[in-house]
Amino acid sequence: MGRMRSEESERPEEPGAARLPEYAERVLDVAELIPPGRVMSYGDVAEWLGDGGPRQVGRAMALYGSAVPWWRVVRSDGALLAGHELRALDHYREESTPLREAARGAEDHLPRLDMKRARWDGSGAADGTGAADGTGAPDGADDVAHT
């Protein structure tokens, strides 16, 4: 897409352009597979790749993830990415990503992702739809209350 590719890539880049580390390239490829309205945790991505862990995925996303749907790779507890909460929330609302109301005592009054409903397990990745039913939408997305 709009990011620099590794040397193994089929897509040529501009001469002299910096190359992504191979692991970062793989992380970004997974981020691009996640359908709108769905998320994967940093640990989910590492498990999908069979390599690294949540911290390595988080580092790759922090350094190189701006050209992919970064808001779809999240903390496993559903908390919004610190410093990017409002931008991420806009994306979640636009994509109808399942959210949970903020707890009454929460200082920031921001909702969290409903990980039970929003988490994507990679179903349908081979056919590009992102869901077993071919819709790419989370189960029960029609009846999700968004804040």
Side-chain angles (χ1 to χ4, degrees):
M1 310 246 153
R3 57 188 165 90
M4 297 174 281
R5 305 293 292 194
S6 67
E7 292 180 28
E8 297 86 31
S9 174
E10 299 86 35
R11 293 181 258 178
E13 285 294 326
E14 298 175 24
R19 300 286 179 196
L20 286 177
E22 189 267 339
Y23 186 76
E25 182 71 30
R26 291 172 54 215
V27 167
L28 300 183
D29 286 345
V30 173
E32 289 179 325
L33 290 174
I34 304 169
R38 302 304 291 262
V39 298
M40 288 179 93
S41 71
Y42 298 111
D44 293 340
V45 172
E47 185 177 331
W48 173 276
L49 293 172
D51 192 14
R55 289 179 186 256
Q56 290 81 9
V57 171
R59 179 85 173 144
M61 290 299 297
L63 293 175
Y64 308 107
S66 64
V68 299
W70 53 267
W71 59 92
R72 296 183 193 150
V73 181
V74 301
R75 291 176 38 159
S76 62
D77 65 359
L80 305 186
L81 182 62
H84 302 279
E85 299 94 341
L86 297 179
R87 284 188 15 214
L89 194 53
D90 286 343
H91 288 292
Y92 298 139
R93 287 179 173 150
E94 182 180 314
E95 295 180 356
S96 299
T97 306
L99 300 169
R100 289 187 355 229
E101 294 283 334
R104 283 190 190 263
E107 241 178 77
D108 55 14
H109 304 289
L110 289 171
R112 287 181 178 244
L113 291 159
D114 183 343
M115 292 300 289
K116 198 174 205 177
R117 298 178 73 195
R119 182 174 257 144
W120 184 60
D121 64 3
S123 299
D127 65 11
T129 63
D133 65 0
T135 65
D139 296 337
D142 298 335
D143 60 336
V144 175
H146 296 279
T147 56

